[in-house]
Amino acid sequence: MSQDLYTAPDYYLLDELLSDEHILIRDAAREWVKREVSPIIEEAAQKAVFPTSIIKGLAEIGAFGPYIPEVYGGAGLDQMSYGLIMQEIERGDSGVRSTASVQSSLVMYPIWKFGDEAQRLKYLPKLASGEFMGCFGLTEPNHGSNPNGMETKFKDMGDHYLLNGAKMWISNAPFADVAVVWAKNEEGRIHGLIVERGMAGFTTPETHNKWSLRASATGELIFDNVKIPKENLLPNKSGLGAPLQCLDSARYGIAWGAIGAAMDCYDTALRYAKERTQFGKPIAGFQLQQKKLAEMITEITKAQLLTWRLGTLRNENKATSAQISMAKRNNVDMALQIARESRQILGAMGITGEYSIMRHMMNLESVVTYEGTHDIHLLITGFDITGIPAFK
Ligand code: TGC
Ligand code: FAD
């Protein structure tokens, strides 16, 4: 990628709504992305490898468990700070944000909320420092949008559980040290289990040939009569509501992250349009290009305002799952449209790795699907406003 000249758009002076601490945290993440992610991310994506060298830096900017209490190694920050960190990381790359989302909201969060004190003390500090990396297994080959149908199951063997089944499309699976896995007991009730790399019968084959999220490692989790110690069951919540509560936290982070990707595409396209001359003037001077750019900044500003409000509601513990769904759906779709329009503004240059836009565009095709597809989030809004579920 050519030099990172990013300047963040703030058309409605939203910085004035943030505290000095928020700005400090956001700017530290912004600088880190410019320094540590931008120079290496294009090559990592082209080679389809997760750049493990950035794990330490992610931990240092507080991206692993931003809102987890400091006593467990987290950064003890508020929800606005969490969102701002996700925005900055995804400005760099959605795959890097994926790694941080999974670690924080899908691994640390359930251990913190649904685990016991011994589990919190054993895993959270190591996950916060990046010494341990985690993954979250909900999706299965036959059950994506409908996780309630999961077939992975565990049996009580007296002094341990026996786990069988398979999970698919799992971010971080190929290198994760621990997996938070959702499985049914003999009564068909869903529980969370902590599965550790090295347990006999547990394998994590990598999924290759992705055109999206290439700098994030994706894989399967295969459980063939895995003996799980009884102390690895998360005791404090069961049922589908438990993983869905984790998803609320991760979807909230994605709502912020998608704005970051959109801001990067817009900023790149605006700079290019002002510099690129055709027919004797900068292409930014043509009405068609101005329409694209003006609509982009309008949509980004609307998403920034929506998400800032969601952040204040989350801080007050008042945000509903349906409000989070609306923001995830709106912002990812907005970012995808902006990536596509920005790519066109760059003409042929837009398809190269010299610029980040095509990578963002391909990444966002996963982001619009994972953590609940665009359709599912619309149905969640539909259910919320009508009271009638249309999922089945
Ligand atoms: P339903 O009957 O509606 O609900 C079952 C129970 O869950 C409760 N609930 C929630 N609890 C907390 N948070 C939420 N958001 C909740 N939504 C529902 C609900 O009250 C009920 O509780 P109870 O006590 O009555 O049992 O469930 P359903 O089977 O009809 O499904 C609803 C639906 C379709 C919305 C849900 O299944 C869904 O969200 N599906 C999408 C699946 C999904 O998002 N998978 C994501 C996998 S993880 C991932 O993609 C990680 S990508 C990571 C990265 O790289 O960043
Ligand atoms: P399906 O559920 O088969 O859906 C296919 C299509 O049908 C979609 O367009 C969907 O919107 C539509 N559809 C489904 N049901 C309905 C309905 N009721 N009404 C209308 N339309 C419907 N999962 C994890 O557990 N952990 C992870 O870490 C993780 N990481 C991922 C990383 C990547 C790169 C990707 C691509 C996926 C990841 N996932 C992960 C899986 C992801 O959550 C699922 O792909 C997603 O939930 C959709 O499931 P599916 O792919 O099986 O699609």
Side-chain angles (χ1 to χ4, degrees), residues 155-341:
K155 204 170 168 182
D156 191 337
M157 304 301 283
D159 62 343
H160 64 272
Y161 299 117
L162 207 56
L163 179 65
N164 278 289
K167 300 287 175 180
M168 197 177 180
W169 296 115
I170 308 304
S171 301
N172 299 356
F175 59 81
D177 304 285
V178 291
V180 169
V181 174
W182 300 94
K184 285 180 178 164
N185 67 10
E186 286 148 280
E187 288 77 50
R189 183 89 183 151
I190 294 172
H191 287 266
L193 298 158
I194 304 171
V195 182
E196 296 184 23
R197 183 170 297 283
M199 287 180 171
F202 175 42
T203 48
T204 60
E206 184 158 1
T207 303
H208 295 289
N209 297 330
K210 292 180 298 166
W211 284 114
S212 176
L213 286 192
R214 289 172 62 79
S216 160
T218 314
E220 294 167 59
L221 304 176
I222 299 182
F223 315 106
D224 180 11
N225 285 319
V226 184
K227 272 185 171 184
I228 309 286
K230 285 213 150 166
E231 63 265 24
N232 283 28
L233 181 116
L234 298 176
N236 293 331
K237 189 165 169 108
S238 63
L240 185 62
L244 290 178
Q245 196 177 316
C246 306
L247 291 179
D248 274 358
S249 178
R251 291 166 176 174
Y252 166 76
I254 291 174
W256 279 95
I259 300 176
M263 284 160 61
D264 192 51
C265 291
Y266 164 78
D267 176 61
T268 305
L270 178 62
R271 189 174 313 103
Y272 187 88
K274 288 202 252 183
E275 285 168 3
R276 173 72 174 169
T277 299
Q278 287 293 287
F279 299 97
K281 70 175 187 182
I283 59 170
F286 294 112
Q287 284 185 354
L288 283 174
Q289 306 312 317
Q290 288 193 2
K291 177 174 187 290
K292 288 190 173 102
L293 292 163
E295 286 177 351
M296 283 182 204
I297 191 63
T298 307
E299 290 308 315
I300 287 171
T301 304
K302 282 152 67 178
Q304 286 171 328
L305 283 161
L306 175 82
T307 313
W308 176 85
R309 176 63 186 149
L310 185 65
T312 60
L313 289 174
R314 287 279 289 177
N315 271 349
E316 293 164 9
N317 221 5
K318 288 200 304 210
T320 66
S321 299
Q323 286 167 339
I324 296 168
S325 278
M326 181 184 280
K328 190 271 184 184
R329 180 175 185 274
N330 178 78
N331 295 5
V332 177
D333 187 54
M334 174 278 299
L336 198 44
Q337 302 307 332
I338 285 179
R340 288 173 183 152
E341 293 287 326

Side-chain angles (χ1 to χ4, degrees), residues 97-98 101-102 106 136 138-139 144-148 171 240-241 244-245 247-248 251 254 321 370-372 376 380 391-392:
R97 197 269 308 133
S98 264
S101 289
V102 169
L106 300 182
F136 174 90
L138 181 66
T139 306
S145 297
N146 178 24
N148 216 8
S171 301
L240 185 62
L244 290 178
Q245 196 177 316
L247 291 179
D248 274 358
R251 291 166 176 174
I254 291 174
S321 299
Y370 68 33
E371 303 258 9
I376 289 296
I380 290 173
F391 307 108
K392 29 196 162 191

